[in-house]
Amino acid sequence: MEKRARGRPKKEVDPASALKCIYCGIEKTADTSEKSMKNDFYQSRSKLHFGYDKFIPICKSCLDTLYKEYLKKYTQEIEESENKTTLEEYYIEKKAVKRLCMLNDIYYSDSLFEAALKHSSNNTMFSSYMKVANLSQYQKKTYENTLKEEQEALDAEHENVILYDDAKNFKKITKKTIKFFGEGLKEESDYEFLQEQYDDWVARHECKTKAQEEVFKQICFTQLELLKAIRAKQDTKDLTATFQKLLETAKLQPKQNHSDTMSDTQTFGTLIDKWENTRPIPEIDEELKDVDNIGVYLDVFFKGHLAKMMGMKNGLSRLYDKYMKKYTVTKPEYEEDDDSEALFDAIFGNPSNIEID
């Protein structure tokens, strides 16, 4: 039984339809094998190239030449620009690679360019990019996917950002900001002011609860009204009073902060005296008292023993001696000779009872 070949069968190309580069017009393939074609041409996923055996009809060397030409073109445009803007070489390379991908219907993404940049060698940046773009996860993608992804990113950005022109300067306001401070403000710049002030307040002071968040929000609104009143040369007495009350509510008045600062600079003993006078420690509960005499053990075996070791004579060392006396064995002492002789006789017997031959 004839064995079936594994994998995809080898493709043979008609010699009469051998690939030629449409840029230089030279036939790059020396034989008719598909492997040889891959050495000279990049494979394509575009429907535009199905009639060219699914290869990009421009050879690899010509694509590198085009890449270098675009690099030169973009660099020259920057040098001749009236703005004299210096553009990094990195950005020029990215622009040239993206332009070639667009012309040849090749999938492009910034993440692929970054990956190719890390693995670039002596070859051009475009050839390094194509090595990454030919990975299996990108084989079904073309430049149409690039346009779709860019549009989706743009739609997502516009969904959360509102652009407006303030003295010909475009600024961004997120819908989150409008939702947080509420709709209906006359000028878009008011939202920007409120957001900047709120971010500054919460960055410098604690804001963990809903109540604190609302107080900071009201402070920002009052600041905005104060600013507008000052610009219009109106009376700000009531607004200033409101602002001071809000600061007092948030405990952010200068005198309150000064009191906290003074507490930080006081010594520990001064703070203890202050706390004892203002908030003294209450009497201990009965169930929390020293029912096991653990305090006595600490005084005797730790403090008293330490005093004894250091040769200090105080109440703790005397307490230690008194407590240890009942556990101490003293050696008996005999002062008179009779007592010593009686002890000797008791141990060794009376010498008068010993017979000597």
Side-chain angles (χ1 to χ4, degrees), residues 201 205-206 212 215-216 219 243-260:
W201 281 110
H205 304 283
E206 181 182 11
Q212 290 174 321
V215 172
F216 281 125
I219 289 175
F243 183 69
Q244 293 295 334
K245 289 181 181 179
L246 289 172
L247 291 180
E248 184 178 0
T249 303
K251 296 183 179 181
L252 297 176
Q253 284 188 326
K255 62 180 182 180
Q256 294 171 314
N257 292 332
H258 178 71
S259 177
D260 296 337

Side-chain angles (χ1 to χ4, degrees), residues 90-123:
Y90 161 81
Y91 179 75
I92 299 174
E93 290 180 342
K94 178 187 289 188
K95 187 176 180 180
V97 170
K98 187 174 183 179
R99 178 59 175 166
L100 282 178
C101 291
M102 181 177 62
L103 289 175
N104 296 281
D105 201 15
I106 302 170
Y107 174 70
Y108 173 84
S109 73
D110 290 340
S111 59
L112 286 182
F113 181 84
E114 297 290 344
L117 190 64
K118 295 179 181 179
H119 300 88
S120 60
S121 57
N122 297 329
N123 300 327

Side-chain angles (χ1 to χ4, degrees), residues 5-12 34:
R6 294 184 178 180
R8 187 174 57 181
K10 184 176 180 180
K11 181 180 178 181
E12 297 294 337
E34 185 180 4

Side-chain angles (χ1 to χ4, degrees), residues 113 123 148 160 168 182 203 230 268 275:
F113 181 84
N123 300 327
K148 183 179 179 181
N160 297 320
K168 297 183 179 180
I230 293 173
F268 189 64
W275 295 332

